[in-house]
């Protein structure tokens, strides 16, 4: 079928559906919901069999839904209506939630139901639930709806749905989210902050200054006067609650953008006591720990849960130190686990934007991430594995490829290209790592197309090595890593060293790196400001004003 996506943006769910439906053989084109007339034009150009709205913030114009079947993906159970579906579900402590695919009609979210899928709720940030459970449920509901549509079966009127237990709820306002540090317990504060993450955050005050709070983590040991800031660690601050404490990882100050808390309040934090953790091993109690090392069955697991997968200069330096620590342990395999919601999205664009000299900070950050990639590539003591259990973008995709093996969770979406960020050339040794896996033409195509890639596609192309099933991903990673130890490890390490030495003789890593960085230097310091402009729009979340041609394929006709 020809399926037109009408969407507010090409967000993670839209990317996943794009990849899934293309893999089923459908012809998919995308139009951003910018103006009714532009959507009407897209429909006229593409002549779709079906219109799908994976992520829409307003109603589809009547001129379109009267003429075409339009399926809306609503992140709520059957009967749920309104723009804050997930927020209310989290804040009111629902134990099961779902996604419903319904047909667009005059009343928002009240059309007949094509399909639905449910999932048990997890205590997690809204954006995390959206990228994991909601996305999986949406994929299965959309596929069921398409199957129903293709065989001519009509949808079920909402009133006839026996499982319609949802209700119409208003937009959640800041008054509904307000934190009361004197009365709310830790669980309540966590729930309210989770329901607002990553957008819009909870409006509050920190150091007696107005700001929006994000990225909350429970703390089991530190205590203090409710509401007081009682400690800091790297990028986060710890604030006492009525019955415990929570860490606040990120804030947004008025007229600013989201930043790590200790950087947004750098001056205020000088008076806050530092409460570092001792070494890299995983703490034995609930706390905020962005880099965490564990060992099991002779395998070292390095977790790095950086908010939004963004890796600033200091985070890269610390992760390199943690990797070197792991490489000195009496193990033979190191698995780089990434974070729960992203494996890595490359250099930290918000920190770069906030720097006094964004060009200098870009340069420092790309060198720091290259140092990490190089440490992995040059590691002779251990076999290295990247376990890509969550989405990755740009440099993050190539950082994973620096490992000897890359295992990816089914359903993960990769964006292994840089051009969307103002024609950035990219580094992280992609010029060395990518062509040897997918060929020179394949590498050029990937970089040019700038499209998301599914886990299955990454392995089919040879970019990554294995797709592992989603529900058992972690267990399967641990099992396979332990299995590597069963074969003669010293022989495997010798083979790896020989391969690296042979590559080094043809062209040293230092040369690959210098060539990439020469191009990056032009991106950062050269005449063409595209990267700086694109980064500013990305960080400032500028609204879309047109759909890029690589997505709006109907406009190429
Ligand atoms: N630096 C800082 N923040 C980043 C980031 C980065 N490299 N990559 C993603 N983010 C943030 C986004 O701003 C967003 O923030 P929010 O919580 O305030 O909404 C959040 O992470 C999720 O990103 P989003 O773009 O909404 O996710 P997505 O799944 O729709 O798209 C990507 C994923 C990777 C395609 C997209 O985030 C992207 O292009 N990132 C930039 C990658 C890049 O160019 N890195 C630098 C070169 S190495």
């Amino acid at each position: 079928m020809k399926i037109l996506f009408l969407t507010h943006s090409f967000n993670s769910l839209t990317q996943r559906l794009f990849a899934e439906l293309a893999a089923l053989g459908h012809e998919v084109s995308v139009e951003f919901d910018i103006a009714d007339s532009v959507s009407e034009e897209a429909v006229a150009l593409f002549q779709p069999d079906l219109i799908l709205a994976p992520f829409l913030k307003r109603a589809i114009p009547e001129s379109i839904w009267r003429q075409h079947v339009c399926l809306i993906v609503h992140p709520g159970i059957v009967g749920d209506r309104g723009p804050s579906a997930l927020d209310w579900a989290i804040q009111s402590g629902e134990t099961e939630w779902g996604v419903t695919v319904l047909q667009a009609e005059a009343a928002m979210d009240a059309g007949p139901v094509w399909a639905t899928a449910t999932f048990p709720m997890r205590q997690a940030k809204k954006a995390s639930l959206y990228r994991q459970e909601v996305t999986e449920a949406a994929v299965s509901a959309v596929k069921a709806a398409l199957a129903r549509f293709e065989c001519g079966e009509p949808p079920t009127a909402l009133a006839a749905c026996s499982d319609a237990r949802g209700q119409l709820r208003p937009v959640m306002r800041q008054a509904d989210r307000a934190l009361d540090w004197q009365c709310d317990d830790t669980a309540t504060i966590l729930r309210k902050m989770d329901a607002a993450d990553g957008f819009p955050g909870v409006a509050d005050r920190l150091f007696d200054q107005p700001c929006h709070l994000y990225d909350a983590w429970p703390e089991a040991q530190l205590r203090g006067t409710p509401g007081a800031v009682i400690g800091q660690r790297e990028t986060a601050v710890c604030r006492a609650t009525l019955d415990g404490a929570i860490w606040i990882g990120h804030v947004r100050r008025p007229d600013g953008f989201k930043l790590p808390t200790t950087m947004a309040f750098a001056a205020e934090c000088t008076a806050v006591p530092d409460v570092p953790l001792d070494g890299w091993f995983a703490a034995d109690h609930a706390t905020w720990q962005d880099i965490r090392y564990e060992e099991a069955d002779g395998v070292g697991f390095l977790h790095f849960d950086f908010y939004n997968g963004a890796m600033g200069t200091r985070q890269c330096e610390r992760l390199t130190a943690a990797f070197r620590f792991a490489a000195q342990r009496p193990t033979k395999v190191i698995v780089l686990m990434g974070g729960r919601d992203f494996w890595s999205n490359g250099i930290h664009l918000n920190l770069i934007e906030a720097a006094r000299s964004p060009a200098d900070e870009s340069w420092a950050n790309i060198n720091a991430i290259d140092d990490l990639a190089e440490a992995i590539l040059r590691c002779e003591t251990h076999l290295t594995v990247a376990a890509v259990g969550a989405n990755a973008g740009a440099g993050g995709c190539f950082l994973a490829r620096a490992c000897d093996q890359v295992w990816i969770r089914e359903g993960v979406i990769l964006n292994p290209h840089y051009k969307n960020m103002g024609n950035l050339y990219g580094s992280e040794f992609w010029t060395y790592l990518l062509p040897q896996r997918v060929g020179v033409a394949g590498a050029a195509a990937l970089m040019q197309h700038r499209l998301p890639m599914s886990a299955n596609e990454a392995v089919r192309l040879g970019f990554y090595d294995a797709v592992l099933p989603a529900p058992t991903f972690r267990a399967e990673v641990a099992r396979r890593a332990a299995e590597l130890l069963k074969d003669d490890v010293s022989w495997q390490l010798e083979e790896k060293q020989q391969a690296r030495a042979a590559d080094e003789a043809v062209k040293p890593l230092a040369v690959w790196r210098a060539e990439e960085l020469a191009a990056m230097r032009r991106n950062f310091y050269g005449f063409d400001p595209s990267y700086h402009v694109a980064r500013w729009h990305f960080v400032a979340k500028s609204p879309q004003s047109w759909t890029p041609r690589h997505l709006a394929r109907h406009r190429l006709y």
Side-chain angles (χ1 to χ4, degrees), residues 266-290:
E268 292 79 357
C269 279
T270 51
V272 176
D274 205 14
V275 279
L277 286 169
D278 197 12
W280 301 112
F281 274 101
D284 59 2
H285 60 279
T287 191
W288 179 87
Q289 188 175 19
D290 57 350

Side-chain angles (χ1 to χ4, degrees), residues 332-556:
K332 282 291 162 221
V333 180
I334 302 172
V335 185
L336 280 87
M337 300 292 292
R340 168 99 210 190
D341 296 316
F342 289 103
W343 197 86
S344 167
N345 280 330
I347 57 176
H348 201 313
L349 299 168
N350 289 37
L351 289 184
I352 290 169
E353 194 59 45
R356 202 166 298 144
S357 161
D360 287 353
E361 185 51 35
S362 301
W363 183 250
N365 202 163
I366 200 70
N367 273 285
I369 203 166
D370 278 2
D371 287 345
L372 172 60
E374 195 166 338
I376 299 168
L377 282 166
R378 291 192 188 280
C379 176
E380 296 190 341
T381 53
H382 286 66
L383 299 173
T384 55
V385 177
V388 184
N391 294 355
C397 302
F398 302 105
L399 183 65
R401 189 58 277 176
C403 291
D404 303 322
Q405 303 229 17
V406 187
W407 305 335
I408 181 166
R409 179 175 65 79
E410 192 169 24
V412 163
I413 289 290
L414 304 171
N415 275 282
H417 43 78
Y418 300 87
K419 279 194 179 298
N420 285 345
M421 199 52 63
N423 269 325
L424 202 59
Y425 183 79
S427 190
E428 294 97 358
F429 297 93
W430 76 266
T431 52
Y432 166 56
L433 297 165
L434 187 59
Q436 60 177 231
R437 298 283 169 166
V438 304
V440 174
L446 269 184
M447 288 289 166
Q448 292 301 331
H449 291 163
R450 297 184 280 154
L451 288 172
M453 178 192 278
S454 69
N456 287 322
E457 182 69 354
V459 172
R460 191 187 65 76
L461 290 174
F463 180 40
Y464 285 177
D465 302 299
V467 187
L468 307 185
T472 54
F473 181 72
R474 289 212 168 190
E476 187 62 11
V477 165
R479 192 191 64 73
R480 280 174 158 250
E483 201 120 279
L484 287 175
L485 295 170
K486 290 197 182 136
D487 293 335
D488 183 349
V489 178
S490 42
W491 176 79
Q492 292 181 72
L493 287 173
E494 202 176 304
E495 240 194 1
K496 158 173 159 164
Q497 285 160 20
Q498 279 170 7
R500 177 84 281 287
D503 280 2
E504 189 73 12
V506 175
K507 181 169 172 177
L509 276 185
V511 177
W512 290 106
R513 178 170 171 159
E515 286 174 0
E516 287 176 0
L517 288 180
M520 288 296 256
R521 187 173 263 287
R522 281 193 293 278
N523 287 139
F524 300 157
Y525 296 100
F527 176 74
D528 174 2
S530 302
Y531 155 70
H532 297 291
V533 173
R535 189 195 60 243
W536 184 82
H537 283 299
F538 180 81
V539 170
K541 304 201 181 301
S542 303
Q544 312 276 359
S545 54
W546 57 289
T547 312
R549 290 294 180 266
H550 67 280
L551 300 177
R553 292 163 174 187
H554 48 278
R555 297 194 181 276
L556 299 174

Side-chain angles (χ1 to χ4, degrees), residues 3 18 37 55 102 115 135 137 152 293 321 430 437 481 497 548:
I3 302 177
F18 181 91
S37 58
F55 171 49
L102 25 83
T135 298
Y293 177 76
W430 76 266
R437 298 283 169 166
Q497 285 160 20

Side-chain angles (χ1 to χ4, degrees), residues 41 57 118 137 194 196 261 319 331 349 392 415 437 465 501 506 514 545:
E41 187 183 68
K57 292 197 172 178
T118 57
D194 281 349
T261 314
L319 187 52
T331 52
L349 299 168
N415 275 282
R437 298 283 169 166
D465 302 299
V506 175
S545 54

